């Protein structure tokens, strides 16, 4: 109380109301939030809103658009390449995320054991995640090159298992699987390290108790490890789905959407139409069309996996 | 050189140093014929500074000499110039941002049809074009095509890079040809024989902005097909196109495997590592081999020859080229300084050494540069001489504009040829699909 009155006196009569204002908790909360809200509005809400607006216009590069309602979406609805990109994006997201999770979880379980050079190994598996995407894309571009692929070289010239070089990026399905493999390689460390963090929070006493009860390794995984890391699994899954769904650099650098659009994702198609093609309205419409998928993926992984009572401090029945 | 001494150099202070450095470089043995035209006296704005944006180099001399000439401009005029080089993919987005935001580089050397996106936002260049045209014997047709809109100059075409047949002379001779035939049947026969001899051709069919667009457009145009007619009506679904696609399929069967995933750099790599015996490219393969530190590559350069692409039933050459145009946007605060900069770069004291050192990678838009040393020393380079004289423009036979740019960026032509060549669809289906896709952009 003494400190308070002292502060008011120090502020002088003129600042009296200001000091009281800052002591008012709702106002203070508002002021503290303001910078963060400002950043979000300027760098997230405004561009997103602008994108949604552009999708309703026929804006082109160098020309303001006019409102044309849903025409962009109607055009996209009849566009086979757009639907192919939707299919590619879903395939890419589902397969790559599943791959990242299975391999990432496996890697996390291995790293959770007592291995020699444990810290060193944990550090080194982060490399694919740390390297800038474009650099790893260029590495994969060489690995998948039609003439200079190291994989083709191994299989044909060293081992002699094949007669012809593998057409990694020239065939539609080969190209899709090649890109998915590259994406999985890149995404594993994120999943593995996050899950490893989750694994380390599990108390060893649980495993000791299970061992005394004679639980098999599978039972220990199924009834202790898995439920205990489920909350973190949900969060990581959500992030991973979002990253994969919106991937752009890997595909753009390796195939640029080819061969004949077979690997276009919605993100790359939106860019190609909007910037090199100059059709800002149509490109925005493709980008906006990604939002429902993203919301659905987020809501699904969140509600399906994360809404457990014990996360809110209650016991799980 | 009488043109130099009588210039009105005092007023602007330009050119005095240029003349001096010309004597010292001693590279100008062949004279570029110049008409005596006074330098326009656009007053340079007080305190002018310039920012210039252009595509990144593809051959090293391009950047070196562009920088040298720019530094010379600063020495002569005292106007500081900040040069920015942007990668080919990112140049168009950066131009777009500058145009939309209304602020950015004062001079943008942008891609071919970009000026037509921003017609209302560009400074009129007619006086500069008139001066340069008069002094240097006029503009080549392609320069006029890319520089003007309804008779008004909206940009100054700075140069063009084009594709020619790049081949290994000894391998072509081995299969019984003296050089590359100029007719389609002979060309196909040569490619078949090269494949049989183990030196197959390879032309990009992936989404390669430069190489794939270049040869697929040549293919369709050579057979008389075109995306649109003179009135911008889509006419790609024609029997000429289908003939072109059938020929393309036969040609594709001779290619090295994997070309359907090739981007712009693949054919250069494959050619220099002796995997292919023939491709279509700019002069960059020869340039890289000739200027390499590796004696093996320099030896290879001896065997690299160039030829014009064969002429099809239409009876005239149908190559495509990549033009770059210097634009000044309305927002530029020092338009006269910017105009003088472009003028300075196009004057022979600067442009001629630039051409010579790029050994034919860039082609001249002004006719007088036909006499440049670069076209006279190496017959292999001379094949690239007339890119701006007789190449066709991107939206042939229609007009340049947003629709043609969208169709090009969407790789409609490339993908039509790729789909038909690889046998994913029949030529008829490919042409119909291309017409459907092009019609979306040419709708209004």
């Amino acid at each position: 109380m003494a400190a308070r009155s002292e502060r008011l006196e120090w502020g002088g009569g003129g600042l009296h109301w200001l000091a009281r204002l800052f002591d008012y908790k709702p106002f203070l909360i508002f002021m503290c939030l303001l910078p963060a809200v400002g950043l979000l509005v300027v760098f997230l809400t405004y561009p997103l809103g602008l994108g949604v607006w552009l999708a309703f216009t026929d804006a082109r590069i160098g020309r303001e658009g006019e409102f044309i309602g849903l025409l962009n979406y109607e055009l996209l609805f009849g566009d086979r390449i757009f639907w192919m990109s939707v299919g590619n994006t879903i395939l890419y997201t589902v397969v790559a995320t599943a791959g990242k999770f299975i391999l990432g979880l496996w890697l996390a379980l291995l790293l959770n054991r007592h291995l020699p050079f444990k810290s060193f190994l944990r550090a080194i598996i982060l490399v694919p995640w740390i390297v800038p995407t474009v650099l790893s894309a260029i590495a994969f571009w060489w690995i998948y090159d039609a003439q200079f692929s190291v994989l083709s070289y191994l299989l044909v010239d060293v081992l002699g298992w094949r007669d012809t070089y593998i057409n990694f990026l020239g065939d539609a399905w080969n190209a899709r699987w090649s890109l998915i493999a590259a994406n999985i390689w890149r995404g594993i460390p994120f999943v593995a390290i996050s899950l490893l963090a989750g694994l380390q929070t599990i108390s060893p006493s649980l495993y000791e108790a299970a061992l005394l009860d004679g639980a098999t390794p599978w039972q220990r995984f199924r009834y202790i490890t898995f439920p205990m890391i489920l909350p973190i699994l949900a969060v990581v899954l959500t992030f991973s789905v979002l990253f994969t769904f919106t991937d752009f650099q890997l595909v753009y650098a390796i195939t640029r959407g080819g061969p004949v659009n077979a690997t276009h994702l919605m993100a790359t198609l939106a860019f190609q139409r909007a910037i090199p093609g100059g059709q800002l309205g149509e490109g925005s419409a493709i980008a906006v069309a990604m939002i429902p998928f993203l919301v659905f993926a987020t809501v699904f992984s969140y509600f399906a996996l994360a809404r457990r009572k014990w996360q809110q401090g209650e016991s799980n029945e | 050189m009488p043109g130099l001494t009588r210039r009105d150099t005092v007023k602007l202070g330009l050119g005095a140093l240029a003349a001096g450095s010309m004597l010292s470089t001693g590279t100008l043995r062949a004279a570029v014929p110049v008409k005596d035209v006074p330098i326009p006296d656009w007053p340079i704005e007080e305190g002018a500074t310039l920012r210039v944006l252009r595509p990144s180099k593809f051959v090293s001399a391009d950047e070196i000499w562009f920088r040298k000439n720019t530094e010379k401009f600063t020495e002569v005029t005292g106007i500081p110039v900040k040069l920015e080089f942007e990668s080919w993919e990112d140049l168009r987005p950066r131009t777009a941002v500058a145009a939309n935001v209304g602020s950015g580089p004062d001079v943008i050397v942008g891609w071919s049809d970009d000026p037509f996106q921003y017609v209302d936002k560009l400074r009129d260049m007619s006086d500069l074009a008139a001066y340069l045209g008069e002094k240097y014997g006029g503009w080549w047709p392609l320069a006029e095509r890319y520089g003007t809109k309804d008779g008004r100059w909206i940009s100054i075409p700075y140069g063009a890079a084009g594709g020619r047949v790049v081949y290994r002379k000894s391998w072509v001779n081995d299969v019984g040809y003296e050089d590359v035939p100029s007719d389609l049947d002979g060309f196909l026969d040569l490619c078949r024989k090269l494949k049989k001899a183990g030196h197959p051709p390879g032309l990009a069919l992936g989404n390669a902005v430069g190489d794939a667009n270049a040869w697929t457009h040549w293919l369709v145009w050579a057979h008389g097909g075109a995306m649109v007619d003179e009135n911008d009506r889509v006419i790609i679904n024609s029997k000429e196109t289908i003939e072109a696609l059938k020929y393309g399929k036969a040609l594709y069967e001779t290619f090295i495997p994997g070309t359907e995933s090739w981007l712009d750099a693949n054919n250069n790599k494959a050619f220099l590592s002796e995997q292919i015996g023939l491709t279509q490219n700019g002069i960059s393969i020869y340039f890289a081999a000739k200027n390499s530190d590796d004696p093996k590559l320099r030896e290879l350069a001896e065997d690299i020859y160039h030829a014009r692409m064969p002429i099809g039933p239409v009876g005239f050459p149908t190559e495509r080229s990549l033009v770059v145009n210097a634009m000044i946007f309305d927002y530029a605060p020092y338009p006269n300084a910017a105009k003088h900069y472009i003028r300075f770069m196009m004057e022979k004291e600067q442009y001629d050494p630039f051409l010579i050192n790029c050994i034919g990678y860039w082609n001249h838009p002004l006719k007088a540069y036909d006499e440049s040393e670069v076209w006279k020393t190496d017959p292999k380079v001379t094949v690239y001489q007339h890119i701006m004289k007789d190449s066709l423009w991107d939206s042939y036979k229609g007009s340049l504009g947003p629709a043609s740019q969208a169709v090009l960026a969407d790789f409609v032509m490339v993908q039509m040829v790729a789909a038909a060549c690889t046998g994913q669809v029949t030529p008829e289906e490919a042409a119909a699909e291309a017409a459907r896709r092009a019609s979306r952009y040419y709708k209004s």
Side-chain angles (χ1 to χ4, degrees):
Chain A
M1 210 46 212
R4 191 186 161 94
S5 60
E6 200 180 283
R7 190 147 40 102
L8 290 179
E9 276 161 23
W10 173 80
L15 283 176
H16 194 216
W17 63 272
L18 202 61
R20 275 177 56 170
L21 189 63
F22 274 90
D23 270 352
Y24 180 53
K25 214 171 172 187
F27 179 78
L28 199 62
I29 290 172
F30 175 75
M31 288 307 287
C32 291
L33 275 176
L34 204 58
V37 171
L39 284 174
L40 282 176
V41 167
V42 173
F43 293 111
L44 282 172
T45 316
Y46 171 71
L48 186 68
L50 185 65
V52 173
W53 161 248
L54 282 175
F56 289 113
T57 70
D58 59 353
R60 285 200 310 254
I61 284 179
R63 197 195 71 179
E64 300 272 319
E66 280 169 31
F67 182 79
I68 53 163
L70 290 169
L71 192 63
N72 280 328
Y73 295 99
E74 280 168 36
L75 282 172
L76 286 178
F77 196 79
D79 181 7
R80 271 177 256 169
I81 294 168
F82 170 72
W83 286 112
M84 178 150 54
S85 78
V86 173
N88 286 341
T89 311
I90 293 172
L91 175 87
Y92 189 76
T93 308
V94 170
V95 179
T97 309
K100 276 184 246 189
F101 263 81
I102 293 165
L103 295 171
L105 182 59
W106 187 33
L107 190 59
L109 291 170
L110 289 178
L111 288 173
N112 199 30
R113 297 183 178 194
H114 289 290
L115 297 165
F117 311 111
K118 196 163 67 178
S119 318
F120 178 70
L121 281 176
R122 282 179 191 173
I124 211 162
I125 65 139
L126 271 174
V127 167
W129 179 253
I130 295 166
V131 174
T133 315
V134 172
L135 288 186
S136 45
I138 290 172
F140 272 98
W141 187 52
W142 278 99
I143 291 174
Y144 295 145
D145 191 284
Q147 271 73 44
F148 304 99
S149 164
V150 65
L151 295 177
S152 292
Y153 174 77
L154 266 181
L155 291 174
V156 177
D157 296 326
V158 179
L159 299 170
W161 291 357
R162 284 177 61 100
D163 296 328
T164 53
Y165 280 11
I166 304 168
N167 195 2
F168 284 108
L169 302 176
D171 173 82
W173 279 104
N174 282 357
R176 287 181 191 132
W177 295 125
S178 302
L179 288 176
I180 287 171
N183 186 284
I184 291 176
W185 176 83
R186 217 189 122 62
I188 286 175
F190 172 71
V191 177
I193 292 290
S194 307
L195 294 184
L196 182 62
L199 286 176
Q200 306 216 308
T201 62
I202 302 173
S203 163
S205 59
L206 292 173
Y207 292 109
E208 283 161 20
L211 271 176
L212 290 176
D213 288 344
T216 62
W218 169 249
Q219 284 171 325
R220 268 177 278 151
F221 174 76
R222 172 69 189 80
Y223 295 105
I224 300 174
T225 313
F226 187 69
M228 293 300 284
I229 59 166
L230 203 53
I232 206 162
L233 206 64
V235 175
V236 177
L237 183 70
T238 313
F239 273 107
S240 180
V241 166
L242 296 187
F243 289 149
T244 317
F245 198 89
T246 55
D247 190 22
F248 170 82
Q249 299 177 65
L250 209 52
V251 173
Y252 199 74
I254 297 179
T255 66
R256 212 160 288 161
V260 197
N261 296 319
T263 58
H264 254 310
L265 303 181
M266 291 167 84
T268 54
L269 190 68
F271 174 79
Q272 183 182 302
R273 294 258 168 98
I275 305 298
Q279 310 285 322
L280 285 178
E282 192 181 332
S284 304
I286 299 173
V288 169
M290 294 167 73
I291 295 175
F293 291 100
L294 291 173
V295 171
F296 172 78
T298 315
V299 170
F300 175 78
S301 48
Y302 213 75
F303 280 82
L305 296 169
R307 260 201 124 194
R308 292 298 190 83
K309 277 183 185 164
W310 47 264
Q311 274 191 289
Q312 283 124 39
E314 292 171 41
S315 66
N316 208 5
E317 59 252 52
Chain B
M1 290 171 207
L4 272 171
T5 52
R6 294 176 54 185
R7 272 210 197 135
D8 190 4
T9 50
V10 186
K11 194 182 289 165
L12 289 158
L14 305 180
L17 208 127
S21 70
M22 193 198 78
L23 292 173
S24 62
T25 52
T27 45
L28 301 176
R29 284 183 300 270
V32 173
V34 175
K35 233 178 119 185
D36 190 8
V37 184
I39 295 178
D41 60 350
W42 310 305
I44 290 176
E45 298 84 353
E46 194 85 4
T49 61
L50 293 176
R51 259 176 77 198
V52 177
L53 176 70
R54 55 149 286 170
S56 60
K57 63 179 180 198
F58 213 79
V59 294
S60 51
D62 182 7
E63 179 170 338
I64 296 170
W65 281 86
F66 202 89
R67 273 191 198 287
K68 271 192 191 178
N69 289 339
T70 301
E71 280 160 19
K72 222 161 105 185
F73 175 76
T74 306
E75 278 172 38
V76 172
T77 62
I79 300 171
V81 181
K82 192 170 167 255
L83 255 185
E84 293 167 37
F85 290 80
E86 188 57 83
S87 72
W88 287 28
E89 276 91 7
D90 294 336
L91 181 64
R92 179 159 277 156
R94 277 204 58 188
T95 312
V97 168
N100 278 348
V101 175
S103 135
D106 303 278
V107 176
I108 298 183
V109 183
W111 290 130
S112 41
D113 44 12
D114 267 1
F116 296 85
Q117 310 286 323
Y118 314 116
V119 177
D120 309 333
K121 301 183 177 184
L122 294 172
R123 296 253 175 207
D124 192 315
M125 305 275 233
S126 301
D127 47 358
L128 176 55
Y131 161 77
L132 288 170
E134 204 189 336
K135 186 168 180 183
Y136 293 100
W139 297 91
W140 285 125
L142 198 67
E144 220 156 300
R145 171 69 64 174
Y146 278 104
T148 59
K149 168 100 179 162
D150 305 326
R152 185 173 80 95
W153 284 82
I154 52 174
S155 72
I156 298 294
Y158 184 72
R164 297 290 190 247
V165 184
V166 182
Y167 66 99
R168 292 287 296 272
K169 179 89 168 168
S170 59
W171 290 346
V172 167
N173 292 350
D174 284 349
V175 298
Y177 277 93
E178 183 50 38
D179 37 30
V180 175
S182 60
D183 64 305
L184 290 177
D185 291 339
F187 186 68
L188 180 60
D189 184 60
L190 167 67
C191 290
R192 284 184 173 143
K193 285 180 173 150
L194 279 173
K195 182 191 163 84
K196 207 174 272 173
H199 308 301
L203 286 90
L205 273 175
N207 289 351
V209 182
D211 291 337
N213 269 318
W215 88 269
T216 54
H217 280 83
W218 159 80
L219 172 74
V220 172
W221 291 339
H223 286 84
M227 193 59 80
V228 290
D229 67 6
E230 293 81 356
N231 300 315
D232 288 335
R233 278 191 304 255
V234 176
I235 53 160
I236 189 67
N237 191 2
S238 65
K239 64 177 195 306
E240 288 84 5
T241 304
I242 288 160
E243 280 308 305
L245 294 177
K246 284 178 181 160
Y247 180 87
K249 191 165 166 33
L251 198 62
Y252 167 80
E253 277 155 14
T254 70
F255 288 180
I256 193 170
T259 53
E260 54 277 22
S261 68
W262 277 14
L263 300 181
D264 283 291
N266 285 75
N267 65 338
N268 298 45
K269 287 191 296 182
F271 195 97
L272 288 173
S273 62
E274 311 198 48
Q275 305 252 344
I276 54 173
L278 182 151
T279 188
Q280 192 217 36
N281 208 58
I283 206 156
S284 52
I285 292 177
Y286 179 62
F287 189 97
K290 196 179 168 183
N291 295 312
S292 168
D293 296 330
D294 183 352
K296 240 184 78 188
L297 276 182
R298 281 204 302 274
E299 203 176 302
L300 185 84
E302 297 292 312
D303 197 33
I304 299 177
Y305 275 71
H306 303 124
R308 294 292 299 257
M309 291 297 284
I311 292 175
V314 289
F316 52 82
T318 55
E319 289 125 332
R320 173 187 179 264
S321 71
L322 192 58
V323 181
V324 290
N325 305 295
M327 300 173 269
I328 304 174
F329 281 94
D330 274 339
Y331 62 71
Y334 309 110
N336 285 348
K339 257 168 32 180
H340 273 299
Y341 174 78
I342 298 172
R343 182 194 64 73
F344 186 84
M345 298 297 274
M346 298 300 293
E347 300 276 14
K348 72 168 179 184
E349 293 77 20
Q350 287 69 244
Y351 198 78
D352 200 29
F354 170 78
L355 272 187
I356 292 167
N357 284 286
C358 290
I359 59 161
Y361 185 73
W362 288 115
N363 269 260
H364 50 282
L366 289 158
K367 291 178 183 168
Y369 289 110
D370 243 15
E371 300 301 321
S372 167
E373 189 68 25
V374 68
W375 310 122
K376 298 186 186 293
T377 40
D378 185 347
K380 291 179 183 178
V381 173
T382 313
V383 181
Y384 286 86
Q385 181 174 5
H386 283 141
I387 282 170
M388 291 205 87
K389 186 180 176 188
D390 55 16
S391 297
L392 298 177
W393 61 100
D394 280 339
S395 56
Y396 172 77
K397 307 164 183 177
S399 58
L400 290 157
S404 71
Q405 188 194 6
V407 168
L408 197 68
D410 225 14
F411 296 103
V412 175
M413 190 73 99
V414 173
Q415 292 176 354
M416 173 183 77
V417 175
C421 283
T422 53
Q424 287 178 21
V425 295
T426 64
E428 288 79 8
E429 286 164 352
E433 170 76 2
R436 199 189 58 76
R437 288 175 63 187
S439 301
R440 295 183 60 221
Y441 296 111
Y442 280 103
K443 56 192 177 266
S444 48

